[in-house]
Amino acid sequence: MSFLAGAEGSGLAKPHIIRMRGWRNWAGIAIGGLAAAASIGGGIAGWISGRDTPTLVALACLALCFGGFAGYCALLRQRYAITLHPDAVEIAMVFRHKRVEKRDITGWSTVDDDSWDSVVKLAVKDDRRSVDLPLGSLDEPELLAWLDPIPNTDELAKAESYDAIMADDRYGASPDARHTALLRERSIANWASVGVILLSIWIMLWPTPHLAAVGVGLLIPLAVFVIAIMLKDRWDFAGARGGDMRPSLVLAYVFPIGALTLRSLDYRIADYPRLFVIAAVFAAIAWLLLYLLRPSTRQLSLGHTGLALILATYGYSAAAHLNVQLDPSRAQTFAVKVQASEADGNDSSITLTPWGPYTQAYDARVSEDLQARAPAGTVVEINLYHGLIGARWWTITAHAAPPAHIGSTAPLQ
């Protein structure tokens, strides 16, 4: 991203304006405009040819969406400006204009962002929320000169974290030994995180054998949890604020938990509330254990709520897997009629008449093969199980030929 300076020279004796320019912004506007034009054209053509109203409405909404985006980009191109005064900064956006006095700024940091080239964040006295300078690239010498007398909180945090480690006897008896131990443990944490991410990809994409994949996904976060308690505050396990120099294993439990949660979608659970209660209880107990047995004075970027949500997600997915894997005894079998069967090339589903725990028609996503063998009007076999923790779950079977009990949605003996 490039910028156009509105004041001559690199000094800040007078206001300096940073404006937006560059091919990325114009490409975004052009693509948005073309998409809007194509959508509007498609909507008009559909209306003229008498197509169905839902299609026309969808095209019109799409046109409004892209048209609005294109309009916003055009306005942003005209109105965006960061004005650097010797004693203040002004930020002008499409719907925002803010002035911040330089004497009120206590620090600054940078954040990479997908939607902007870079973001400079200003910490302001007596203001809990930071002030962003979108597109405030540090390649702009005037901006860097303006920020020079203000502390860089990223660098201060790194220095503070490093000094704390160098004073920690657990890393070694001397500063050199502590520095060597820090580098070694950071390398171990990095390689361990890479290995866990690869295992998580296996669990998410190729869970074969399924039981082994589930077992690995369950054990890794549990092992990290135990290590976090054993090492107390020596490593970062909860996601500390930026600038923390300690070895970090945050990814070593976030990725497996995400993989486990994705795999738990393989099961058709009938009693979700029971699993939610287990997840909440587990998260509360695990959170208390972490903070009672692993005291920490560092502030978490995840926040207490974020960490509790991650633990609850693990509790839910673990309960779902254990419920299904450890007690797959069959309880009831139902013959259920298929009301509708659809496939659009990407997803396939069948709609079942009310049965067992469901008092209304149930839309179930299924494989293409099962959907092809279960057209509307046929009957499928539902196997309802009672899991280890009492949460019922079920499977669908479509027979090549209709079973003898067609037409009955009552449980079969």
Side-chain angles (χ1 to χ4, degrees):
M1 183 67 63
S2 57
F3 297 86
L4 178 64
E8 298 295 333
S10 59
L12 294 180
K14 57 182 180 179
H16 176 83
I17 302 175
I18 302 174
R19 293 195 180 276
M20 184 193 309
R21 70 177 186 181
W23 67 268
R24 294 183 185 179
N25 303 289
W26 289 114
I29 295 172
I31 292 173
L34 289 174
S39 300
I40 294 172
I44 294 174
W47 177 73
I48 294 175
S49 61
R51 290 183 181 177
D52 58 298
T53 301
T55 301
L56 178 59
V57 172
L59 289 172
C61 290
L62 190 63
L64 289 174
C65 178
F66 281 102
F69 172 73
Y72 177 82
C73 288
L75 287 173
L76 184 63
R77 171 68 176 80
Q78 296 299 320
R79 298 189 181 185
Y80 174 89
I82 296 176
T83 305
L84 301 175
H85 301 277
D87 58 346
V89 59
E90 291 184 68
I91 306 102
M93 304 287 285
V94 175
F95 304 110
R96 177 168 61 117
H97 188 279
K98 188 177 183 66
R99 178 184 175 95
V100 180
E101 300 298 325
K102 194 170 186 178
R103 63 175 179 272
D104 294 331
I105 301 174
T106 59
W108 67 276
S109 60
T110 56
V111 177
D112 293 328
D113 191 283
D114 293 335
S115 58
W116 303 106
D117 205 29
S118 64
V119 176
V120 175
K121 304 182 76 68
L122 304 179
V124 181
K125 182 175 57 177
D126 300 328
D127 192 344
R128 296 182 60 184
R129 298 184 60 182
S130 60
V131 176
D132 294 344
L133 304 182
L135 304 175
S137 174
L138 295 182
D139 292 337
E140 185 76 12
E142 288 80 5
L143 177 60
L144 196 58
W146 191 88
L147 292 170
D148 185 60
I150 303 172
N152 185 324
T153 53
D154 288 338
E155 298 301 325
L156 290 177
K158 288 180 181 179
E160 181 181 353
S161 176
Y162 184 79
D163 291 342
I165 293 172
M166 291 300 100
D168 193 336
D169 293 337
R170 293 178 298 173
Y171 285 90
S174 66
D176 289 340
R178 293 165 191 163
H179 180 78
T180 302
L182 174 62
L183 294 180
R184 181 178 64 252
E185 293 182 17
R186 283 173 62 93
S187 178
I188 293 172
N190 290 338
W191 282 109
S193 297
V194 170
V196 167
I197 291 174
L198 293 177
L199 288 174
S200 300
I201 294 174
W202 162 54
I203 296 170
M204 286 188 289
L205 302 181
W206 305 284
T208 303
H210 191 273
L211 188 59
V214 169
V216 170
L218 289 173
L219 290 176
I220 290 177
L222 188 61
V224 175
F225 181 85
V226 173
I227 294 173
I229 293 176
M230 292 175 59
L231 293 181
K232 297 186 182 297
D233 204 27
R234 179 167 176 168
W235 283 28
D236 172 26
F237 291 94
R241 293 288 186 182
D244 196 320
M245 298 293 290
R246 294 175 300 163
S248 174
L249 277 184
V250 174
L251 298 181
Y253 64 84
V254 170
F255 268 83
I257 289 174
L260 273 182
T261 304
L262 181 64
R263 289 275 64 88
S264 69
L265 300 178
D266 294 340
Y267 312 127
R268 305 182 193 279
I269 306 293
D271 300 314
Y272 284 104
R274 185 183 294 266
L275 298 183
F276 291 146
V277 170
I278 292 174
V281 172
F282 172 84
I285 295 174
W287 187 89
L288 285 174
L289 285 175
L290 274 176
Y291 282 93
L292 290 177
L293 301 179
R294 192 194 64 90
S296 174
T297 57
R298 293 176 172 87
Q299 191 176 16
L300 304 181
S301 59
L302 291 175
H304 300 299
T305 303
L307 182 59
L309 287 175
I310 290 175
L311 293 172
T313 303
Y314 175 75
Y316 169 83
S317 57
H321 287 292
L322 293 175
N323 177 75
V324 170
Q325 298 291 341
L326 298 186
D327 190 13
S329 58
R330 180 176 298 180
Q332 293 175 300
T333 301
F334 296 81
V336 182
K337 187 176 181 180
V338 177
Q339 285 187 351
S341 181
E342 298 178 347
D344 60 6
N346 295 319
D347 297 317
S348 53
S349 64
I350 59 176
T351 303
L352 304 173
T353 56
W355 65 274
Y358 299 101
T359 59
Q360 297 180 348
Y362 186 92
D363 188 31
R365 292 183 61 182
V366 296
S367 65
E368 292 182 5
D369 177 66
L370 194 153
Q371 183 271 334
R373 291 185 288 112
T378 60
V379 171
V380 295
E381 187 176 275
I382 303 293
N383 296 318
L384 180 65
Y385 302 88
H386 285 267
L388 176 69
I389 61 177
R392 293 170 297 176
W393 61 284
W394 49 282
T395 60
I396 307 175
T397 303
H399 297 280
H405 47 264
I406 285 180
S408 173
T409 57
L412 303 176
Q413 301 299 326

